[in-house]
Amino acid sequence: LISRLADPVLRTIIVPEFEKKSITAVDIVVAKVDEKDWCKRYIWQLLNSKPLADAGNSLATGSTRQRISRSNMSKITIPRPPLPEQRRIADILSTVDEQIQQTDEKIEKTKELKRGLMQDLLTKGIGHNDYEERYLGPRKLEIPRKWNKARLEEVSQIITRGKQPTYVEEGGVPVLNQSCIYWDGFHPEGLKRLDSGVADDWKDKYWVKEGDVLINSTGKGTLGRALEWTKESDTHALDSHITRVHPDESVLDPTYFRFYLESNHGQKM
């Protein structure tokens, strides 16, 4: 089955056997492969490759939702190695796919282990035997009796939001936004640029400092993501969708705080 809809067009699957007859939507093309000349798995890998996706997208039309017509799809030229070579190519790529899947499964298991450790360490601590229930925000948790609790404003040197920037295409200074902040760290490819003349008038609180914890303040799917800024550079500005927290490191470790924000309790807060 081949998708006519972006993004991207030509997304393809090999249909497993169904017990009952099935139908497809209008934007799905049913392709029956002549297995005397073609290897289905080769066709599947080929149509899911970037060069074919680019070719399909270049022929897609539509203002609201891009799709490729059946006539344009039929014009796409694909390479045709001898059938034995097609099978070898498909075997190699299928082996790589299996290895990727196994790696993804290991990564997911490691993430599950991390989530479990975070839940235990961030609420139970290390080496404690005496616990009591306390409210942390709206939730009641059992935490070590020796632990204190505090409002974030009491253990931070600064809590502030960034500022709405005036963007430029080239030059300027780098501005962090939501697409820069992920749990696995800083993604510089998401940086935008702030007009240098405007940047000269920005207050010091809008510039990132080493030891800051940066939190996405808005956005579906991005709200609550955080990172600890460990770079010495203070030449990065913050847009208005990011909250900057600089913990008082004498009482709140920024790395601990960042992990707390990632925890189940931190996200529900």
Side-chain angles (χ1 to χ4, degrees):
L1 301 182
I2 308 171
S3 173
R4 294 174 53 220
L5 285 173
D7 184 20
V9 299
L10 303 186
R11 298 191 307 279
T12 304
I13 64 167
I14 297 175
V15 180
E17 291 186 6
F18 292 123
E19 294 182 0
K20 298 180 180 179
K21 290 184 177 180
S22 303
I23 60 174
T24 67
V26 67
D27 287 309
I28 299 296
V29 171
V30 179
K32 297 187 181 297
V33 177
D34 183 353
E35 296 191 60
K36 294 179 181 177
D37 298 313
W38 294 94
C39 170
K40 280 195 296 188
R41 293 179 299 114
Y42 169 79
I43 296 290
W44 169 61
Q45 293 281 2
L46 183 63
L47 292 178
N48 283 316
S49 68
K50 187 177 186 304
L52 266 292
D54 291 343
N57 286 330
S58 69
L59 296 172
T61 59
S63 56
T64 304
R65 188 78 187 270
Q66 292 274 299
R67 56 171 47 83
I68 186 171
S69 66
R70 286 176 172 79
S71 60
N72 279 340
M73 187 184 294
S74 67
K75 296 175 184 177
I76 295 175
T77 302
I78 61 175
R80 183 182 176 183
L83 183 57
E85 189 173 357
Q86 292 180 39
R87 290 172 177 155
R88 289 198 298 272
I89 292 171
D91 287 341
I92 292 169
L93 293 177
S94 295
T95 299
V96 174
D97 285 339
E98 289 173 5
Q99 292 175 345
I100 291 172
Q101 183 177 351
Q102 291 171 6
T103 301
D104 289 343
E105 290 172 354
K106 290 178 181 178
I107 290 172
E108 187 56 39
K109 288 180 180 178
T110 303
K111 287 181 178 179
E112 290 177 7
L113 174 62
K114 178 186 175 183
R115 285 192 287 267
L117 284 171
M118 287 171 59
Q119 184 68 17
D120 289 340
L121 291 172
L122 294 171
T123 59
K124 301 296 183 184
I126 301 172
H128 295 278
N129 296 311
D130 190 14
Y131 297 90
E132 67 176 0
E133 287 190 339
R134 295 191 206 175
Y135 278 102
L136 296 178
R139 301 183 68 208
K140 182 182 285 188
L141 291 179
E142 188 178 70
I143 63 173
R145 190 177 297 275
K146 292 182 178 180
W147 283 13
N148 297 317
K149 68 176 185 177
R151 293 181 179 275
L152 184 58
E153 63 185 2
E154 297 171 347
V155 292
S156 299
Q157 294 177 353
I158 187 169
I159 302 175
T160 188
R161 288 277 288 272
K163 187 176 180 179
Q164 181 61 44
T166 302
Y167 289 125
V168 293
E169 291 297 323
E170 297 180 355
V173 299
V175 182
L176 274 79
N177 55 78
Q178 294 155 301
S179 61
C180 298
I181 296 179
Y182 284 82
W183 292 121
D184 63 357
F186 171 51
H187 284 226
E189 66 275 10
L191 285 171
K192 294 183 179 180
R193 313 297 295 185
L194 169 66
D195 181 89
S196 297
V198 175
D200 290 339
D201 296 328
W202 275 32
K203 296 179 180 179
D204 185 65
K205 67 179 183 178
Y206 299 130
W207 298 86
V208 187
K209 302 291 190 297
E210 185 178 9
D212 284 347
V213 176
L214 308 177
I215 308 165
N216 282 344
S217 306
T218 62
K220 186 177 180 180
T222 63
L223 177 65
R225 278 201 316 245
L227 63 80
E228 177 189 0
W229 190 259
T230 57
K231 300 178 184 296
E232 294 183 2
S233 170
D234 59 355
T235 58
H236 290 70
L238 294 173
D239 82 359
S240 57
H241 299 287
I242 295 176
T243 295
R244 175 186 168 223
V245 178
H246 194 92
D248 178 350
E249 295 190 37
S250 67
V251 288
L252 178 61
D253 182 82
T255 306
Y256 168 86
F257 178 49
R258 174 251 175 269
F259 277 118
Y260 173 77
L261 292 172
E262 186 182 358
S263 71
N264 182 52
H265 182 258
Q267 285 295 287
K268 288 185 177 180
M269 290 284 284

